[in-house]
């Protein structure tokens, strides 16, 4: 039997509808029931059977669902269709417009107590907030979506859990993001809930924080599982996201051609699905691939394309992160002045709580530019700020690279003991292609 309101609420509803239509209790009851039964029902002293409610609904000219729950007939179906429309709006990159649609849908779902639709609208609002870079709001929306689904099976809650983990990752909380991904995967696998979509979402999501933390073996294993799961998944957007994420592990393993092919598959799927922001992210990852491989002209072209697409869609945080990587390529192409201007423009949009790894990357690059200009003091200041950000985030590949730069600067200025400390810190981590935010990773520092 479908979910119903309690007898008292149904009784009041029956009485109101009967009065509005000018019917007597006798007219409503006949021929199957008595006026006394209708009187008892309206007083809330009896729990009407489904057949009785269907009879009364027919007499009143309303749908059974509306009489039993107070919801207009087909409301849930209508809301789900409109949630799909909001999702399409978000896919085109119109995050602010999509957020308005989701907010209206959430209010309507709240009014009628439709829990699954409430959770879906909150999930959509979380995705909108991620896109605009409002990480705190995103996290709150994803948490609220999880809470609405508290009694639902774990696979149903995975999209909200994944959203929360991504929010923490973008805020520079790499370890906690990995914990959320890993604990959810453990529970799914331990309890035998092998839902391919849920597992693919999680294995795909955990790759980036693993890579930033220097956990390359774990990232490679997650990529391997994701590739194995892909044929069982029917959602092409999920498969496309998998191809984009797996490409980074391939870059780290030196499999450049395979990474490029994986990104081409992702791009083609996103074009077919008309998902603009994710297509921009494919250009971004391609630019990263070419930068790691030393193909700077191609890298600049891809990163400029990504930046233009993201900027047009007001994806502020992602736009700033791409700008840092573009600045690195410009510097390596001898355009340091342009790179410096770009970095100063975007540093205000990045912070320890919002894009910490790329914020550190910006300070690292400004330090290199300052060193080139023989401004040792400014260079050291930028390196130290970058070091603080990376240590807090636990971004191992970037940290090793930064320690080498700082150690070299300290050694050149005669502070040998401080330089050795910086080198020792860096040796505790590892850099390899694909593990740093910017450019090809350098060799380990000489000791």
């Amino acid at each position: 039997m479908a979910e119903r309101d309690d007898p008292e609420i149904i009784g009041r509803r029956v009485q109101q509808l009967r009065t509005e239509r000018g019917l007597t209790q006798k007219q409503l009851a006949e021929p199957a029931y008595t006026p006394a039964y209708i009187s008892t029902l309206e007083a809330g002293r009896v729990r009407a059977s489904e057949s009785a409610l269907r009879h009364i609904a027919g007499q009143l000219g309303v749908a059974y669902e509306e009489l039993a729950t107070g919801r207009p007939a087909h409301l849930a179906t209508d809301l789900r269709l409109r949630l799909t429309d909001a999702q399409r709006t978000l896919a085109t990159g119109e995050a602010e417009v999509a957020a308005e649609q989701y907010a209206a849908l959430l209010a309507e779902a709240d009014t009628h107590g439709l829990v699954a639709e409430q959770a879906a609208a909150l999930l959509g609002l979380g995705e909108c907030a991620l896109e605009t870079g409002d990480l705190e709001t995103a996290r709150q929306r994803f948490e609220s979506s999880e809470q609405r689904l508290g009694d639902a099976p774990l696979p149903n809650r995975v999209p909200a859990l994944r959203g929360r983990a991504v929010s923490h990752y973008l805020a520079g909380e790499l370890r906690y993001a990995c914990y959320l991904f890993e604990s959810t995967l453990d529970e799914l696998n331990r309890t035998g809930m092998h839902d391919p979509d849920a597992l693919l979402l999680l294995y795909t999501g955990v790759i980036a924080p693993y890579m930033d933390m220097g956990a390359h073996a774990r990232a490679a294993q997650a990529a391997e599982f994701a590739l194995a799961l892909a044929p069982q998944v029917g959602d092409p957007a999920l498969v496309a996201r998998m191809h984009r994420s797996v490409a980074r592990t391939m870059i780290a393993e030196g499999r450049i051609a395979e990474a490029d092919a994986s990104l081409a598959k992702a791009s083609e799927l996103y074009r077919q699905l008309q998902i603009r922001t994710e297509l921009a992210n494919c250009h971004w990852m391609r630019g990263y691939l070419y930068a790691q491989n030393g193909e700077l002209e191609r890298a600049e072209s891809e990163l400029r394309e990504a930046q233009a697409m993201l900027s047009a869609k007001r994806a502020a945080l992602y736009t700033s992160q791409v700008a840092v990587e573009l600045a690195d390529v410009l510097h390596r192409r001898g355009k340091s002045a342009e790179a410096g201007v770009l970095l100063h423009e975007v540093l205000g949009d990045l912070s320890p709580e919002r894009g910490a790894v790329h914020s550190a990357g910006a300070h690292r690059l400004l330090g290199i530019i300052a060193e080139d200009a023989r401004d040792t003091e400014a260079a050291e200041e930028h390196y130290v700020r970058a070091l603080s950000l990376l240590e807090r985030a636990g971004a191992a590949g970037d940290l090793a690279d930064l320690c080498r730069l700082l150690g070299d600067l300290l050694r050149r200025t005669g502070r040998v003991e401080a330089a050795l400390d910086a080198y020792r810190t860096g040796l505790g981590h590892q850099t390899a292609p694909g593990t740093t935010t910017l450019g090809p990773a350098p060799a380990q520092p000489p000791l």
Side-chain angles (χ1 to χ4, degrees), residues 4 85 133 180 207 310-311 320 324 374 437:
R4 282 164 41 175
D85 287 341
L180 285 175
I207 289 172
L310 291 167
S311 179
S320 297
V324 174
R374 305 201 181 283
T437 307

Side-chain angles (χ1 to χ4, degrees), residues 10 13-15 17-18 21 23 28-29 33 37-38 41-42 48-64 67:
I10 290 175
R13 192 176 294 132
V14 170
Q15 186 179 40
L17 290 168
R18 179 179 63 76
R21 284 155 177 74
L23 297 174
L28 190 59
Y33 300 93
Y37 177 75
I38 298 298
L41 188 151
E42 288 184 350
S49 66
E50 184 176 342
S51 58
L53 282 184
R54 289 193 181 280
H55 164 79
I56 293 166
Q59 296 289 81
L60 293 168
V62 298
Y64 164 77
L67 186 63

